[in-house]
Amino acid sequence: MADAEDEDIQRPLLRKFTDCYPLSKNRQRPRTGSDVEYVHQEGHYRVSTGEAMLDSATVQRTRWDLNYREAAIFLQEGENNDKFTSHPRSKDDLPAYMRTHNTWAQLLMMGASLLLLVLAAFEEPAIDRLLLPISAHATLELVCLLILTVELILRFKWLGPEKFVKHVRTMTKAVALVVMFTEAVVVIIRQSNHIRVTRALRPIFLLDSNYCRGVRRFIRQIILTIPAIVNLLVLLLFILLLFSILGFYLFSGVAGDIYFQSFNQSIISLYVLMTTANYPDVMMPSYKRSRWSSMFFIIYISLQLFIFMNIFLAVVYSAFINIEKKKLRDLLLHRRAACAEAFHLLVSEQNPDLVSARHFEGCMRYFRPRMSRLTIYLIFKHLNSSGTGKLTLEEFRDIYSSAALKWKKRPSDELWSANFKPPMNTALSALHHFVKQKWFDFFIYGVIFANFIWILIDTARISAAKQRSPDPNEYSWYIDELSFIWISGIFVAVYVVEAVMKILGLGPVVYFASGWNNFDFIVTFVSLVGLSLQLTSGHFYYIIILRPLRVLRLFKLRRIFRDVFGTLFILFKRMLSLAIVMLLLYYFFAIIGMEAFSSYTSQLVNCCRNSTVEGYYKYNNESGQDGYYYLNTFENIFISGVTLFELTVVNNWWVIMEGFSIVSTPWARIYFMIFYLIIMVVMSVVVAFIFEAFIFRIQYRRQMLDNQDLEDHSIRRVHLLLSRAEIEMCQNTESSLKGDFIRDRQQGVVDSTSGGSTIDLSSLSDQFVCYQGEKILNKDELSLKMYSSEVKKWIEEDLRSRSPQICVQLPVPSSDQTVQRASSSSAYVV
């Protein structure tokens, strides 16, 4: 298989960025020019300059390099789930595309977008010490907008006018840029601020950045659930209006009942009652007149809260499940299509069905620029399950999962202390077996539980001591605490001894590879520092609050608790996306709230006289009996965020709404009602994806693992043997990678999720080195395993429906092979 030497003069099969185009339905013949002639030969148009064909090695290397770039772009589009409609289609579009997708350019866009958001803290209304002059913040805004405009111009260049206009996110960004740029110029010219509600659109630029793909997907899921819940929302509002009419006729004549005096007030009261925030206050005036009036409120709450709200959540959950599965299907098929496009750019006319190691390396140089040659070769060898030295299309389709493997030399199966001199090696070996005993763990759990009991007793004792102290700022209770510090010292000493024994027995590498061990070490270290500070300085007494953290280890004992914590780990990235979505949603409403209500801040004090919320806004500096709700304002971006969070929690949110509606206008209620409605939808989606993740974990454990713990099977490990010759080839940068050295897979590869291996390192000769690739399986990969039968149907349906898009007929793989490569983590060959 020594064909690498002549690969420079082999022509690529497809050359979309070069001067040779295939004759396919979706690609047109290149436009001719005066200085070139297009010659039809063997199904392709080739460029002819006079009598000589441009087939030199230099030209072919240039063509291959362009193909490597485009293949990497296809793989990135598959990885990021970007549509192929935005793919650059010519060599002229490539520079603009590469500039906008450059890491530094993306970081610059991200920085400009974040700076735009942060400017809200320095613009009116703002904290006095943060307020910037108008010319300063307006100039900064213009600079950020100019940076984003340059990126948009480059995007226009490689998308073209037609695709640019049809791309919704891009057009939204363009319109927002024009509006905000115009406003910033007007502010600089006038040197004064005006009502700028459009500042609420600034999150659009952050959402468009490359690093917020997960946030965009979460927002897309929220939007996709809306059609499923619109009908139910209409039903909720219909029941609300029906009971509002009925309540108006029943209770408008009740003396002292201010909740149903008018039809408008009836609607508002029942809207708030749907959140239970004003119950039972809203019922009591009519309940005083007739006990039977309670049936009206009981029936309304039962229908709206206990029935329709739960149905609402069930509908959201059902829609979310369908969206999740559809997203998984679309992502799988999109990545398969991206791999097919990239594959066809890496095969040559001489080998139209296979990708060589040389061309695979060329593609990976652009797909993973920081990846070493050794890692690229390890990935290539792992992909090449057939052991032929060249990749088929089905083998190539596993590139996303394989490229995520972290490679290193596999550590020896021997104990880390095996090479120590006696008696140290014997002692550490005995310590290793000692700390691996079950009873040792249970002893530590018993100590932790005893520590927890002592913390409860100690906290109750300190609380009683503080209550006896006449001065709340006096720390005499702390002196009393020091007399019992020796008990805390015993527990901390046990934890320190445990950590030292495990580090010496298991070895530092193995010990710190465990997340629970890292958690234990950090808590033990902090506890030790806190204990030392307690003895030396009273200013650090608050360190003792960290002691209860170790009690979290007790939850590892029960499987249900492990499932809960495991679900949190699965949801961590999505929780991060959720947090960003909530912050951006708060930002949007905070800007609107500041523009609408910041001028009423001072009017909230002692407002709302002769209303149901008068006591909440009462301020009496002499008696100190305040209602405190006058502090919930929109005077700056930070206070606005706190106010919106209080509205999210729902409890007494109507008090804030009524306060602003009284000091400003009754129409202000619309702002608060819309905010609650949107938050209700968002939080329903949040609950749905927490349910889905937890139920998925339980189902996966039962169906795939026979009720074993998921943590023991969620890590994919691959072991590869490389000969010294292969390693030397990877280190020699002057030559290209070759597949000649690849041995049969059964002799060199073990792929598993259990961490086991059939490779005995002690039996290997010095001519081989074992490398271990490792990655944590994400939820999508686990889903592909659990839904393997459906995955097979998805792929078969896609193969039947997909029209030929390439000019070369490729063999269609069997369904078993497609499923194996669709979910690489579901097929482990030894």
Side-chain angles (χ1 to χ4, degrees), residues 251 254 256-260 269-270 272-273 276-288 293 297 301 611-613 616 651-652 654-655:
F251 308 127
V254 176
D257 192 340
I258 61 175
Y259 298 101
F260 296 93
S269 298
L270 291 183
V272 177
L273 180 58
T276 70
N278 61 348
Y279 188 79
D281 300 18
V282 68
M283 182 184 73
M284 299 317 292
S286 57
Y287 187 65
K288 178 182 178 182
S293 63
F297 299 95
I301 292 177
S611 69
T612 57
V613 297
Y616 294 102
N651 187 37
N652 279 353
W654 66 280
V655 176

Side-chain angles (χ1 to χ4, degrees), residues 162-297:
E162 184 178 355
K163 293 180 181 177
F164 185 90
V165 173
K166 291 182 178 179
H167 198 270
V168 178
R169 196 172 75 239
T170 301
M171 278 303 299
T172 304
K173 181 178 178 180
V175 172
L177 270 175
V178 171
V179 173
M180 296 181 69
F181 193 90
T182 303
E183 279 199 333
V185 172
V186 171
V187 168
I188 290 180
I189 294 175
R190 296 177 65 243
Q191 285 296 301
S192 64
N193 285 312
H194 54 272
I195 298 177
R196 297 188 61 193
V197 182
T198 54
R199 291 188 299 160
L201 301 178
R202 287 174 178 175
I204 290 175
F205 306 121
L206 182 65
L207 291 174
D208 188 59
S209 66
N210 181 66
Y211 298 100
C212 288
R213 295 191 300 269
V215 181
R216 290 199 299 269
R217 290 170 189 168
F218 188 84
I219 294 176
R220 193 179 301 118
Q221 284 180 310
I222 295 175
I223 295 174
L224 290 175
T225 57
I226 292 178
I229 62 178
V230 165
N231 293 332
L232 197 57
L233 283 175
V234 171
L235 180 59
L236 285 171
L237 294 177
F238 174 77
I239 298 295
L240 170 66
L241 291 175
L242 186 64
F243 274 80
S244 298
I245 296 172
L246 186 60
F248 171 71
Y249 285 117
L250 288 176
F251 308 127
S252 60
V254 176
D257 192 340
I258 61 175
Y259 298 101
F260 296 93
Q261 288 182 348
S262 65
F263 180 56
N264 293 341
Q265 190 62 44
S266 180
I267 293 176
I268 295 169
S269 298
L270 291 183
Y271 186 93
V272 177
L273 180 58
M274 191 167 58
T275 69
T276 70
N278 61 348
Y279 188 79
D281 300 18
V282 68
M283 182 184 73
M284 299 317 292
S286 57
Y287 187 65
K288 178 182 178 182
R289 189 188 70 168
S290 173
R291 298 295 191 266
W292 288 103
S293 63
S294 61
M295 297 303 299
F296 171 87
F297 299 95

Side-chain angles (χ1 to χ4, degrees), residues 372-592:
S372 66
R373 280 166 54 90
L374 177 61
T375 303
I376 293 174
Y377 182 74
L378 285 167
I379 295 173
F380 181 83
K381 185 171 183 177
H382 172 245
L383 290 173
N384 190 211
S385 57
S386 61
T388 60
K390 292 189 177 183
L391 300 180
T392 63
L393 175 57
E394 285 305 305
E395 291 173 338
F396 185 77
R397 277 178 168 147
D398 192 27
I399 188 170
Y400 293 113
S401 179
S402 299
L405 291 168
K406 304 298 182 183
W407 293 92
K408 61 182 179 181
K409 286 186 179 180
R410 184 191 166 192
S412 173
D413 294 331
E414 297 179 337
L415 295 179
W416 77 291
S417 57
N419 296 326
F420 288 10
K421 293 181 179 181
M424 183 63 70
N425 58 352
T426 305
L428 293 180
S429 177
L431 187 59
H432 171 83
H433 294 292
F434 181 81
V435 298
K436 295 284 286 185
Q437 297 296 321
K438 281 288 185 181
W439 66 265
F440 178 78
D441 287 333
F442 285 116
F443 170 75
I444 296 299
Y445 291 140
V447 173
I448 294 173
F449 183 75
N451 191 9
F452 177 63
I453 298 299
W454 167 247
I455 290 172
L456 292 177
I457 296 173
D458 195 31
T459 303
R461 188 175 52 79
I462 292 174
S463 176
K466 289 190 68 174
Q467 290 177 358
R468 291 193 301 267
S469 175
D471 184 3
N473 295 321
E474 183 182 349
Y475 294 105
S476 59
W477 61 269
Y478 179 71
I479 305 300
D480 184 57
E481 163 68 8
L482 290 178
S483 61
F484 291 91
I485 199 171
W486 62 271
I487 300 178
S488 299
I490 292 176
F491 288 115
V492 173
V494 173
Y495 300 148
V496 171
V497 171
E498 179 213 8
V500 172
M501 291 175 65
K502 284 190 173 182
I503 292 174
L504 295 177
L506 301 176
V509 175
V510 176
Y511 177 84
F512 289 106
S514 169
W516 282 108
N517 287 340
N518 287 323
F519 174 78
D520 291 342
F521 182 83
I522 293 173
V523 173
T524 299
F525 178 78
V526 172
S527 300
L528 186 61
V529 173
L531 186 66
S532 303
L533 293 175
Q534 276 185 269
L535 293 172
T536 57
S537 175
H539 297 291
F540 293 93
Y541 70 91
Y542 53 83
I543 295 291
I544 61 177
I545 66 174
L546 299 175
R547 292 182 300 177
L549 292 179
R550 181 171 282 271
V551 180
L552 291 175
R553 277 188 65 185
L554 294 175
F555 293 103
K556 188 181 178 184
L557 291 173
R558 297 285 296 176
R559 174 172 290 172
I560 185 63
F561 296 137
R562 294 198 297 270
D563 286 333
V564 171
F565 282 104
T567 302
L568 292 178
F569 290 134
I570 291 176
L571 292 175
F572 179 76
K573 288 186 178 180
R574 301 178 71 179
M575 282 292 190
L576 186 60
S577 298
L578 164 66
I580 296 175
V581 169
M582 294 299 295
L583 287 175
L584 295 181
L585 184 63
Y586 282 2
Y587 186 92
F588 177 83
F589 277 93
I591 294 295
I592 298 176

Side-chain angles (χ1 to χ4, degrees), residues 351-367:
N351 293 291
D353 301 332
L354 300 171
V355 171
S356 66
R358 172 195 180 91
H359 300 319
F360 181 81
E361 178 192 7
C363 173
M364 293 298 290
R365 285 204 313 267
Y366 295 105
F367 182 50

Side-chain angles (χ1 to χ4, degrees), residues 804-817:
Q805 295 182 1
I806 54 175
C807 60
V808 181
Q809 183 65 35
L810 295 174
V812 178
S814 66
S815 58
D816 291 338
Q817 291 174 317

